[in-house]
């Protein structure tokens, strides 16, 4: 699919943000990558308005995620997606699961990972699965 101005606008991105995505990737993004940037940079995720402030904070561990959610007024999560158990992806998972109720956890971690202890409705990502939300979609390629 060709990325047009209409597709960019449908992802709630500006032309300037699209150019920034091209710079980051060093090439044209595909539709999935565009969707990922759209979600990451959406106001729903607060990235556009908070990235200036977040640069001053530590970036891993439980001192970041739960306080950020609380300060943002988030008291419950519909669900969590954690790609794998490296600290940069799952470092705050235990504290989030302990302190912020979540409906489900979709993960790419080993089934015996201690991080899954007490996880609500933990489901392993299966190759070929697809999800859509906020006009963006993802799929599992593992």
């Amino acid at each position: 699919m060709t990325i047009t101005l209409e597709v960019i606008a449908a992802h709630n991105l500006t032309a300037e943000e699209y150019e920034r995505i091209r710079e980051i990737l060093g090439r044209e993004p595909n539709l999935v990558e565009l969707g990922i940037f759209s979600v990451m940079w959406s106001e729903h995720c607060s990235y556009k308005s908070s990235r200036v402030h977040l640069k001053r904070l530590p970036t891993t561990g439980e001192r970041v995620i739960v306080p950020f959610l609380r300060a943002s007024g988030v008291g419950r999560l519909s669900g969590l997606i954690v790609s794998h158990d490296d600290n940069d992806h799952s470092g705050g998972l235990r504290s989030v699961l302990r302190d912020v109720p979540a409906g489900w956890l979709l993960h790419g971690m080993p089934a015996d990972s201690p991080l899954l202890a007490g996880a609500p409705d933990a489901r392993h990502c299966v190759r070929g699965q697809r999800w859509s939300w906020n006009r963006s979609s993802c799929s599992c390629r593992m």
Side-chain angles (χ1 to χ4, degrees), residues 14-80:
T14 65
E16 293 79 19
E17 289 168 330
Y18 181 75
E19 289 305 315
R20 178 71 181 124
I21 293 168
R22 289 179 62 211
E23 290 173 18
I24 290 168
L25 295 175
R27 59 178 170 73
E28 297 289 326
N30 63 39
L31 192 57
V32 171
E33 292 165 334
L34 191 68
I36 291 169
F37 275 98
S38 172
V39 170
M40 288 189 321
W41 290 356
S42 71
E43 286 299 333
H44 179 74
C45 294
S46 299
Y47 182 75
K48 288 181 182 178
S49 59
S50 63
R51 63 182 157 188
V52 171
H53 306 291
L54 292 174
K55 286 180 182 178
R56 299 184 306 217
L57 299 171
T59 59
T60 62
E62 71 181 73
R63 296 180 308 154
V64 176
I65 297 168
V66 171
F68 177 78
L69 292 171
R70 286 184 179 147
S72 300
V74 174
R76 178 168 178 72
L77 298 170
S78 298
L80 293 167

Side-chain angles (χ1 to χ4, degrees), residues 1-11 13 15 18 28-29 31 34:
M1 173 181 212
T2 303
I3 306 292
T4 64
L5 289 175
E6 290 78 22
V7 171
I8 294 167
H11 282 80
L13 294 167
Y18 181 75
E28 297 289 326
L31 192 57
L34 191 68

